Amino acid sequence: MAKKILLTLALLLIPLVAVNWSRLVGLIKTQITRIEKITPVTLTEQEVFDRINAYRTANKMIALKRNDKLDKAALSRLLVIKNNQDYSGAVTGLSLENAVKNNSYNFSSTGEIDTDGVTGETNLAEEWAKNEQQKKILNDKNYRDVGIALVAEGFSYRVVVVMARLMVVKVEKLGSGGYPVVAWGGPELWDAINKRRVELGVGPLSKKDELCTIASIRLNQLLSLGTLDGHAGFEPTLNRPDLAYIRQKYNVAEFLIVGYLTPAEAVAGWEHTLGHRGLLAGGEYVWGCVYSQETFAVAIAAY
């Protein structure tokens, strides 16, 4: 009799436990959703650097180089701004110019961008453009180096960017579109691409002469324009009667870049630009070719 009573109670409790468990799971999911909504998207110094150069190269400016001395200057400025609210340096004596000089960077010109309340979702270029002085610094074509520092402040970040140019800089010979003439070209960039692909575990691309034909044509088009065309000339090139067979044989993709002063920087630019990382991490691509001149580069990849 006792066993029957216990069994009956167990049968009655099972639905109750199931209902409560379902409600508990629902409550947990709700709380997780709330936490995700208030948790900011992270932001790193590398991401800030990549976004600055993506903006500059898209607007016909040379990509900046990261500089350790300017990183230290940016950090020192961030600390006096955060801890002393000393935006000009009048309180602590650590103005932008003094911070840069103290780190042995002999500049001819320098500028500072200070922003708070940003996250990984913030469009930094748009945010900076709201301030005329910061917009002017962001769009200054004379700068060559950059230092970056950031710190978390609650659910957002404060970012300090210091841009500068050395007092003595070798005069640059400019080519198409006002971009510098550089010593490297397609072969060096090809090696850098395959080196990075191997590092990412997808293996190097094999060269195909047919793809080189496309890359060569497209590079000449861009050099004539003096700017990237947003792939506008890619489809018409593939549709040419003498090249149409290539599209029938392969799945072909195009990757463009301009304004980077070394092959390694160009590869990093592709890797950290939305939609272009596939050139380096895409295991589906097995063939390719690269043509480059005056920092303009066209990479064609296929499978």
Side-chain angles (χ1 to χ4, degrees):
M1 185 66 175
K3 290 183 178 179
K4 289 183 178 180
I5 292 172
L6 289 173
L7 180 60
T8 301
L9 287 172
L11 291 172
L12 290 171
L13 286 171
I14 286 172
L16 181 61
V17 171
V19 170
N20 289 337
W21 177 253
S22 176
R23 291 176 62 187
L24 179 60
V25 170
L27 286 171
I28 291 172
K29 288 181 177 179
T30 300
Q31 292 301 320
I32 290 173
T33 300
R34 288 176 179 172
I35 291 170
E36 288 175 343
K37 286 182 178 179
I38 64 173
T39 301
V41 177
T42 57
L43 183 66
T44 67
E45 292 175 2
Q46 182 63 44
E47 288 170 338
V48 175
F49 175 68
D50 293 334
R51 293 186 196 184
I52 290 171
N53 276 340
Y55 175 84
R56 286 179 64 88
T57 56
N59 288 278
K60 300 187 71 173
M61 291 179 282
I62 295 170
L64 300 175
K65 290 184 178 180
R66 190 84 180 268
N67 185 282
D68 289 341
K69 295 177 180 178
L70 295 183
D71 279 342
K72 294 175 183 177
L75 179 58
S76 63
R77 285 289 297 150
L78 184 151
L79 293 175
V80 298
I81 291 171
K82 177 178 172 60
N83 298 330
N84 306 95
Q85 291 74 55
D86 189 9
Y87 296 91
S88 66
V91 177
T92 62
L94 197 64
S95 63
L96 167 63
E97 291 77 10
N98 287 340
V100 175
K101 287 179 182 177
N102 289 349
N103 286 283
S104 303
Y105 187 101
N106 187 22
F107 67 90
S108 62
S109 60
T110 187
E112 177 184 79
I113 297 174
D114 165 51
T115 316
D116 62 357
V118 299
T119 72
E121 293 180 321
T122 304
N123 185 318
L124 295 176
E126 288 184 0
E127 185 68 24
W128 293 334
K130 294 175 183 178
N131 179 291
E132 283 301 318
Q133 182 60 29
Q134 293 189 344
K135 181 180 179 181
K136 182 179 178 181
I137 293 168
L138 179 64
N139 289 290
D140 194 321
K141 295 183 178 182
N142 290 316
Y143 295 134
R144 293 293 180 268
D145 300 317
V146 65
I148 300 164
L150 63 77
V151 63
E153 294 182 330
F155 292 114
S156 62
Y157 296 87
R158 176 179 289 277
V159 179
V160 172
V161 175
V162 175
M163 298 183 187
R165 182 175 181 135
L166 285 169
M167 183 68 73
V168 179
V169 178
K170 183 179 179 181
V171 176
E172 295 165 340
K173 181 181 178 183
L174 300 181
S176 181
Y179 292 102
V181 176
V182 292
W184 57 273
E188 292 82 5
L189 186 55
W190 174 257
D191 290 341
I193 290 169
N194 276 335
K195 179 177 181 291
R196 187 58 181 147
R197 283 180 60 88
V198 170
E199 291 170 350
L200 293 174
V202 294
L205 297 172
S206 298
K207 188 171 291 185
K208 282 281 186 180
D209 290 340
E210 298 153 309
L211 303 182
C212 289
T213 300
I214 298 173
S216 175
I217 293 170
R218 289 289 290 132
L219 177 63
N220 286 327
Q221 291 173 358
L222 299 181
L223 290 172
S224 296
L225 288 172
T227 186
L228 300 183
D229 66 357
H231 307 286
F234 184 48
E235 286 293 323
T237 300
L238 288 180
N239 291 331
R240 280 176 36 166
D242 57 328
L243 299 176
Y245 76 96
I246 297 176
R247 166 171 260 166
Q248 295 170 1
K249 289 178 63 176
Y250 309 106
N251 289 297
V252 186
E254 178 184 68
F255 303 87
L256 308 177
I257 205 162
V258 68
Y260 291 85
L261 297 180
T262 69
E265 291 173 6
V267 167
W270 267 322
E271 185 171 355
H272 295 99
T273 304
L274 186 66
H276 292 78
R277 194 171 189 270
L279 173 64
L280 307 165
E284 69 273 24
Y285 296 118
V286 291
W287 298 295
C289 188
V290 176
Y291 267 63
S292 179
Q293 184 179 327
E294 298 172 10
T295 79
F296 282 87
V298 177
I300 305 296
Y303 61 92

